[in-house]
Amino acid sequence: QSVLTQPPSVSGAPGQRVTISCTGSSSNIGAGYDVHWYQQLPGTAPKLLIYGNSNRPSGVPDRFSGSKSGTSASLAITGLQAEDEADYYCQSYDSSLKVVFGGGTKLTVL
Amino acid sequence: QVQLQESGPGLVKPSETLSLTCAVSGYSISSGYYWGWIRQPPGKGLEWIGSIYHSGSTYYNPSLKSRVTISVDTSKNQFSLKLSSVTAADTAVYYCAREEATRVHDYWGQGTLVTVSS
């Protein structure tokens, strides 16, 4: 059971917009700790997608955006492309003194 | 360009100690940042194991703390993971990563699969 809760899967057609939620609690996201998002393509290491709730590293398309409110965060992907098919993980920090990840969400592009 | 590369045995026997090293290039560990280990069991999600600050201070996942040791060798620009008394549940791909103050992991190694089996 992950400390951060994500839907196991989401899907969308090319060109559409999808969102992935990440629900935490008052000891992590709600405590003000930043949320970060990673994209993991099959057979590869995770890649940083969003840091500090809503910031994109250089090279990440602006189709990807992040937001945070209260004890939750969301990743939005607009203009869905086949290459976006991957697993997505949210991550934060918990007052129990550890880094915590969500269980991951598999995005399928229909 | 910061690059990280894990190395170590791919097979460890139950009850023994898993040992991995992460070689860092493109950045001097002694200059700053945390340096961490994350693992991913086959078909499952990510689990943070722990990290070490460039000064040597360590931070461990409470669920693994009794079995984990992370150390740094600034002269070789590398850091290491030791996980003792392993069981089949420790079978996973182990990643090393650079960790910033906000605990974001901005650079990752490619990962190395460690199987615990007799």
Side-chain angles (χ1 to χ4, degrees), chain A residues 36 38 40 45 89 91 99, chain B residues 40 48 95 102-105 109:
Chain A
H36 318 294
Y38 304 89
Q40 187 176 33
Y89 293 90
Q91 179 233 302
V99 170
Chain B
Q40 184 173 36
W48 180 74
Y95 297 100
T102 59
R103 303 311 179 106
V104 63
H105 299 86

Side-chain angles (χ1 to χ4, degrees), chain B residues 11-117:
Chain B
L11 181 64
V12 181
K13 289 182 169 55
S15 80
E16 295 190 344
T17 296
L18 178 160
S19 295
L20 296 174
T21 296
C22 181
V24 179
S25 60
Y27 188 85
S28 173
I29 285 181
S30 58
S31 295
Y33 290 99
Y34 299 81
W35 302 89
W37 290 95
I38 300 103
R39 69 180 182 179
Q40 184 173 36
K44 296 187 178 181
L46 301 167
E47 180 182 34
W48 180 74
I49 299 171
S51 57
I52 187 165
Y53 195 48
H54 68 96
S55 61
S57 299
T58 52
Y59 308 85
Y60 299 138
N61 186 326
S63 66
L64 298 170
K65 187 174 183 177
S66 63
R67 300 194 291 133
V68 173
T69 301
I70 297 175
S71 59
V72 64
D73 186 340
T74 54
S75 67
K76 295 182 178 179
N77 214 40
Q78 64 186 34
F79 59 107
S80 300
L81 167 70
K82 290 188 185 299
L83 180 65
S84 63
S85 305
V86 297
T87 69
D90 294 311
T91 293
V93 174
Y94 285 75
Y95 297 100
C96 59
R98 190 176 79 168
E99 192 176 295
E100 294 191 9
T102 59
R103 303 311 179 106
V104 63
H105 299 86
D106 56 355
Y107 292 96
W108 295 66
Q110 65 184 29
T112 186
L113 174 63
V114 178
T115 301
V116 177
S117 174

Side-chain angles (χ1 to χ4, degrees), chain A residues 24-82:
Chain A
S25 68
S26 58
S27 66
N28 40 69
I29 298 175
Y33 294 111
D34 284 348
V35 177
H36 318 294
W37 292 90
Y38 304 89
Q39 177 192 59
Q40 187 176 33
L41 298 171
T44 68
K47 168 194 168 186
L48 180 62
L49 200 61
I50 297 288
Y51 68 94
N53 306 316
S54 59
N55 302 292
R56 284 186 308 276
S58 174
V60 173
D62 59 6
R63 301 187 296 105
F64 296 90
S65 63
S67 63
K68 171 188 164 183
S69 178
T71 59
S72 296
S74 290
L75 172 71
I77 309 172
T78 58
L80 206 56
Q81 300 180 3

